[in-house]
Amino acid sequence: MEGKMLARIAAIVFVAVAITAAIIEMTREEIPAPAPSAPSLTRQVDPLREGQRRCQEMGEAAANDAECLGIWAETRDRFLGRTPVQSSPGLDGGR
């Protein structure tokens, strides 16, 4: 009989511990985890982008503007993945 009594005591202790753990878990307050911080949205100024906007606002007059033509050439080179051609003063024949 002693074995049965020991098994009953162990079962009662197990149930008591399980009930205690359940009560503790149910009464615990949920503390919301802090929201992950988002990277700051600092806007980097791209001079090429600003030039494109300026030329866009100029309308048809931009087709005759040397600066806009240069901006469009740089945009095209960037889009196509080419390195921009550096013009050197001695290569244009002194024009």
Side-chain angles (χ1 to χ4, degrees), residues 12-92:
I12 292 172
V13 169
F14 176 77
V15 170
V17 169
I19 290 173
T20 304
I23 290 172
I24 290 173
E25 183 64 30
M26 288 180 2
T27 59
R28 188 169 57 165
E29 289 184 28
E30 289 293 323
I31 300 173
S37 62
S40 63
L41 298 176
T42 56
R43 201 168 182 201
Q44 296 178 354
V45 177
D46 183 9
L48 181 63
R49 184 79 154 161
E50 296 300 320
Q52 290 170 340
R53 293 265 187 235
R54 186 184 65 77
C55 293
Q56 180 184 18
E57 291 170 357
M58 287 177 64
E60 286 185 36
N64 298 326
D65 186 47
E67 188 175 342
C68 287
L69 294 174
I71 288 172
W72 289 333
E74 186 178 345
T75 301
R76 186 175 47 252
D77 289 340
R78 186 185 287 188
F79 178 77
L80 296 174
R82 298 186 300 196
T83 57
V85 177
Q86 300 294 330
S87 62
S88 104
L91 294 178
D92 62 348

